[in-house]
Short mmCIF file of all heavy atoms in Angstrom, two decimals:
data_model
loop_
_atom_site.label_atom_id
_atom_site.label_comp_id
_atom_site.label_asym_id
_atom_site.label_seq_id
_atom_site.Cartn_x
_atom_site.Cartn_y
_atom_site.Cartn_z
N ALA A 275 -30.94 -63.10 -102.63
CA ALA A 275 -31.99 -63.06 -101.61
C ALA A 275 -33.40 -63.01 -102.18
O ALA A 275 -34.36 -62.98 -101.43
CB ALA A 275 -31.76 -61.86 -100.69
N PRO A 285 -25.89 -65.98 -115.86
CA PRO A 285 -24.92 -65.32 -116.75
C PRO A 285 -23.75 -64.70 -115.99
O PRO A 285 -22.62 -64.67 -116.51
CB PRO A 285 -25.75 -64.26 -117.48
CG PRO A 285 -26.98 -64.08 -116.68
CD PRO A 285 -27.22 -65.37 -115.96
N ARG A 288 -21.34 -67.58 -115.11
CA ARG A 288 -20.62 -68.00 -116.32
C ARG A 288 -19.56 -66.98 -116.72
O ARG A 288 -18.46 -67.35 -117.14
CB ARG A 288 -21.61 -68.22 -117.46
CG ARG A 288 -22.44 -69.47 -117.30
CD ARG A 288 -23.45 -69.61 -118.41
NE ARG A 288 -24.12 -70.91 -118.37
CZ ARG A 288 -25.19 -71.20 -119.07
NH1 ARG A 288 -25.73 -70.30 -119.89
NH2 ARG A 288 -25.75 -72.39 -118.98
N ALA A 289 -19.86 -65.70 -116.58
CA ALA A 289 -18.89 -64.65 -116.92
C ALA A 289 -17.69 -64.71 -115.98
O ALA A 289 -16.55 -64.55 -116.42
CB ALA A 289 -19.56 -63.27 -116.87
N CYS A 290 -17.94 -64.93 -114.71
CA CYS A 290 -16.83 -65.05 -113.75
C CYS A 290 -15.95 -66.23 -114.10
O CYS A 290 -14.72 -66.13 -114.07
CB CYS A 290 -17.37 -65.20 -112.33
SG CYS A 290 -17.96 -63.68 -111.59
N GLY A 293 -13.85 -65.44 -117.14
CA GLY A 293 -12.82 -64.45 -116.84
C GLY A 293 -11.82 -64.89 -115.79
O GLY A 293 -10.88 -64.16 -115.48
N HIS A 295 -12.39 -65.26 -112.57
CA HIS A 295 -12.59 -64.50 -111.34
C HIS A 295 -13.14 -65.43 -110.25
O HIS A 295 -14.16 -66.09 -110.45
CB HIS A 295 -13.57 -63.35 -111.56
CG HIS A 295 -13.15 -62.42 -112.64
ND1 HIS A 295 -12.06 -61.59 -112.51
CD2 HIS A 295 -13.64 -62.21 -113.89
CE1 HIS A 295 -11.91 -60.89 -113.62
NE2 HIS A 295 -12.86 -61.26 -114.47
N PHE A 297 -15.24 -66.52 -107.36
CA PHE A 297 -16.52 -66.04 -106.87
C PHE A 297 -17.17 -67.06 -105.97
O PHE A 297 -16.86 -68.25 -106.00
CB PHE A 297 -17.46 -65.68 -108.02
CG PHE A 297 -18.05 -66.85 -108.76
CD1 PHE A 297 -19.31 -67.32 -108.47
CD2 PHE A 297 -17.32 -67.49 -109.76
CE1 PHE A 297 -19.85 -68.41 -109.15
CE2 PHE A 297 -17.84 -68.57 -110.45
CZ PHE A 297 -19.12 -69.03 -110.15
N HIS A 303 -33.53 -66.65 -98.29
CA HIS A 303 -34.94 -66.37 -98.54
C HIS A 303 -35.38 -67.07 -99.84
O HIS A 303 -34.93 -68.19 -100.10
CB HIS A 303 -35.21 -64.87 -98.55
CG HIS A 303 -36.68 -64.54 -98.42
ND1 HIS A 303 -37.44 -64.97 -97.38
CD2 HIS A 303 -37.51 -63.84 -99.23
CE1 HIS A 303 -38.68 -64.55 -97.53
NE2 HIS A 303 -38.75 -63.87 -98.65
N GLN A 315 -26.87 -74.92 -111.38
CA GLN A 315 -26.12 -75.88 -110.56
C GLN A 315 -24.80 -76.24 -111.23
O GLN A 315 -23.76 -76.29 -110.57
CB GLN A 315 -26.95 -77.14 -110.32
CG GLN A 315 -28.13 -76.93 -109.41
CD GLN A 315 -28.95 -78.19 -109.25
OE1 GLN A 315 -28.42 -79.31 -109.31
NE2 GLN A 315 -30.24 -78.04 -109.05
N GLU A 322 -15.94 -70.78 -105.96
CA GLU A 322 -15.06 -71.11 -104.86
C GLU A 322 -15.87 -71.75 -103.72
O GLU A 322 -15.41 -72.68 -103.07
CB GLU A 322 -14.37 -69.83 -104.36
CG GLU A 322 -13.28 -70.04 -103.37
CD GLU A 322 -12.56 -68.74 -103.06
OE1 GLU A 322 -11.93 -68.18 -103.98
OE2 GLU A 322 -12.66 -68.28 -101.91
N VAL A 325 -23.19 -71.66 -100.99
CA VAL A 325 -23.84 -72.02 -99.74
C VAL A 325 -25.29 -71.56 -99.78
O VAL A 325 -25.59 -70.48 -100.29
CB VAL A 325 -23.12 -71.38 -98.54
CG1 VAL A 325 -23.79 -71.77 -97.22
CG2 VAL A 325 -21.65 -71.74 -98.51
N SER A 330 -33.88 -71.36 -95.04
CA SER A 330 -34.62 -70.96 -96.24
C SER A 330 -34.83 -72.13 -97.18
O SER A 330 -35.89 -72.26 -97.79
CB SER A 330 -33.87 -69.84 -96.98
OG SER A 330 -33.83 -68.68 -96.19
N PRO A 336 -38.64 -77.86 -99.53
CA PRO A 336 -38.51 -78.99 -98.60
C PRO A 336 -38.48 -80.36 -99.28
O PRO A 336 -37.95 -81.32 -98.72
CB PRO A 336 -39.75 -78.86 -97.71
CG PRO A 336 -40.74 -78.13 -98.56
CD PRO A 336 -39.91 -77.18 -99.40
N GLU A 337 -39.00 -80.43 -100.49
CA GLU A 337 -39.08 -81.73 -101.18
C GLU A 337 -37.82 -82.06 -101.99
O GLU A 337 -37.70 -83.17 -102.50
CB GLU A 337 -40.30 -81.76 -102.11
CG GLU A 337 -40.19 -80.89 -103.35
CD GLU A 337 -40.32 -79.37 -103.15
OE1 GLU A 337 -40.58 -78.91 -102.04
OE2 GLU A 337 -40.12 -78.64 -104.14
N ALA A 339 -33.52 -82.33 -102.66
CA ALA A 339 -32.20 -82.47 -102.04
C ALA A 339 -31.40 -81.21 -102.35
O ALA A 339 -31.44 -80.69 -103.46
CB ALA A 339 -31.49 -83.70 -102.61
N VAL A 342 -26.10 -77.71 -103.02
CA VAL A 342 -24.88 -77.01 -102.59
C VAL A 342 -24.73 -77.16 -101.08
O VAL A 342 -25.58 -77.75 -100.41
CB VAL A 342 -24.91 -75.51 -102.98
CG1 VAL A 342 -24.95 -75.35 -104.49
CG2 VAL A 342 -26.06 -74.78 -102.32
N ALA A 344 -25.01 -76.61 -97.29
CA ALA A 344 -26.00 -75.99 -96.40
C ALA A 344 -25.26 -75.22 -95.31
O ALA A 344 -24.26 -75.68 -94.78
CB ALA A 344 -26.90 -77.05 -95.78
N SER A 351 -22.14 -64.17 -93.32
CA SER A 351 -21.27 -63.14 -92.75
C SER A 351 -19.80 -63.44 -93.01
O SER A 351 -19.03 -62.53 -93.36
CB SER A 351 -21.51 -63.03 -91.24
OG SER A 351 -22.82 -62.61 -90.97
N LEU A 352 -19.42 -64.69 -92.85
CA LEU A 352 -18.02 -65.07 -93.10
C LEU A 352 -17.64 -64.86 -94.56
O LEU A 352 -16.54 -64.39 -94.87
CB LEU A 352 -17.79 -66.52 -92.68
CG LEU A 352 -17.85 -66.79 -91.18
CD1 LEU A 352 -17.87 -68.29 -90.91
CD2 LEU A 352 -16.69 -66.13 -90.47
N LEU A 363 -28.29 -59.64 -105.10
CA LEU A 363 -29.31 -59.89 -106.11
C LEU A 363 -30.62 -60.19 -105.40
O LEU A 363 -31.03 -61.21 -105.15
CB LEU A 363 -28.90 -61.05 -107.03
CG LEU A 363 -27.59 -60.86 -107.79
CD1 LEU A 363 -27.19 -62.14 -108.49
CD2 LEU A 363 -27.75 -59.74 -108.80
#
Side-chain angles (χ1 to χ4, degrees):
R288 287 177 172 168
C290 283
H295 303 291
F297 73 98
H303 196 56
Q315 290 177 31
E322 189 174 295
V325 181
S330 295
E337 71 286 355
V342 297
S351 296
L352 291 169
L363 300 171

